[in-house]
Amino acid sequence: DAKTTQPPSMDCAEGRAANLPCNHSTISGNEYVYWYRQIHSQGPQYIIHGLKNNETNEMASLIITEDRKSSTLILPHATLRDTAVYYCIVRPRGNYGQNFVFGPGTRLSVLP
Amino acid sequence: KAGVTQTPRYLIKTRGQQVTLSCSPISGHRSVSWYQQTPGQGLQFLFEYFSETQRNKGNFPGRFSGRQFSNSRSEMNVSTLELGDSALYLCASSPTSDPSYEQYFGPGTRLTVT
């Protein structure tokens, strides 16, 4: 499976956009990019995922570069409740039963 | 729809005992996965069940086992508990094992072994 690299921590001002980068330079054409977040001691929360195209939902936008070697999760208007650890994960398509491999993630602190 | 539920939420056991944790997936979801989270090792995959069959297993000793019932509810069991088994145990459900579907996690069961 492709590995991901994320900065260990980031700060963001409340109300501003939070842009969380993820490097997955060894990703193959059949691997999804998933984003989850985990607020302290709770279960991880699904945010968004994509294969090749950019994706947007009510929580966030996912921007995947054309070569698919990196992606950015965008929280358009960060609030204090967005403070969490954010995980970027690649997951092989078609490999049924293959589960998520979580790295250390990025600890995002939203500051008032 | 109700989310993934896990019981109990907190548990304290003694070394050598065994424990059973329960997970009820989102209605209609047939795949259930289990993960262990510790401060040292992070989130690690234990096993995944789909239609009562174990589809995939992580790198854990045989003391860790699980099963899934016909209603998709799942249990995991840890026998001969060790101090290092203290962790947050998370269950996640998905409609199928297809990796194009996201998994939804429950709140977890926090197990403390003394």
Side-chain angles (χ1 to χ4, degrees):
Chain A
D1 296 352
K3 291 190 175 181
T4 62
T5 305
Q6 299 177 252
S9 64
M10 291 181 63
D11 290 340
C12 176
E14 189 177 19
R16 304 297 294 266
N19 296 277
L20 292 94
C22 179
N23 181 287
H24 31 78
S25 58
T26 60
I27 195 170
S28 67
N30 67 343
E31 290 183 304
Y32 291 96
V33 178
Y34 272 85
W35 283 84
Y36 277 81
R37 72 181 181 184
Q38 188 173 27
I39 297 169
H40 183 62
S41 294
Q42 297 181 19
Q45 179 188 21
Y46 167 76
I47 301 174
I48 199 167
H49 75 284
L51 187 61
K52 295 180 182 178
N53 300 319
N54 298 337
E55 302 287 344
T56 296
N57 63 21
E58 64 279 3
M59 283 185 68
S61 295
L62 172 61
I63 308 298
I64 303 174
T65 58
E66 193 169 340
D67 62 7
R68 303 185 70 246
K69 293 184 183 301
S70 66
S71 60
T72 301
L73 177 73
I74 301 172
L75 307 178
H77 305 287
T79 71
L80 299 179
R81 288 176 293 180
D82 293 321
T83 292
V85 177
Y86 287 76
Y87 299 99
C88 169
I89 306 158
V90 294
R91 193 180 186 206
R93 180 182 185 186
N95 193 349
Y96 287 62
Q98 177 68 42
N99 282 272
F100 293 101
V101 179
F102 287 83
T106 295
R107 184 171 297 278
L108 174 69
S109 297
V110 180
L111 308 175
Chain B
K1 272 187 181 177
V4 177
T5 58
Q6 294 187 244
T7 56
R9 292 292 311 278
Y10 302 91
L11 204 50
I12 299 175
K13 290 285 189 179
T14 304
R15 270 182 302 177
Q17 288 186 315
Q18 75 164 16
V19 67
T20 299
L21 311 181
S22 181
C23 171
S24 292
I26 291 171
S27 178
H29 285 194
R30 296 169 62 194
S31 169
V32 173
S33 298
W34 288 89
Y35 294 81
Q36 181 198 64
Q37 186 172 28
T38 60
Q41 299 296 320
L43 266 158
Q44 293 185 290
F45 169 69
L46 280 157
F47 28 66
E48 189 250 357
Y49 286 87
F50 178 76
S51 292
E52 302 178 65
T53 301
Q54 187 180 90
R55 296 288 296 266
N56 200 6
K57 189 177 189 303
N59 189 23
F60 279 81
R63 300 184 297 107
F64 291 82
S65 64
R67 60 178 176 169
Q68 186 181 33
F69 302 95
S70 58
N71 62 359
S72 296
R73 191 177 68 84
S74 177
E75 289 181 347
M76 68 162 282
N77 183 276
V78 188
S79 62
T80 320
L81 284 165
E82 301 176 359
L83 295 179
D85 297 333
S86 294
L88 181 66
Y89 289 88
L90 293 155
C91 164
S93 79
S94 183
T96 78
S97 292
D98 186 337
S100 66
Y101 286 91
E102 59 271 24
Q103 292 182 352
Y104 293 92
F105 285 78
T109 293
R110 177 145 324 262
L111 171 66
T112 302
V113 181
T114 62

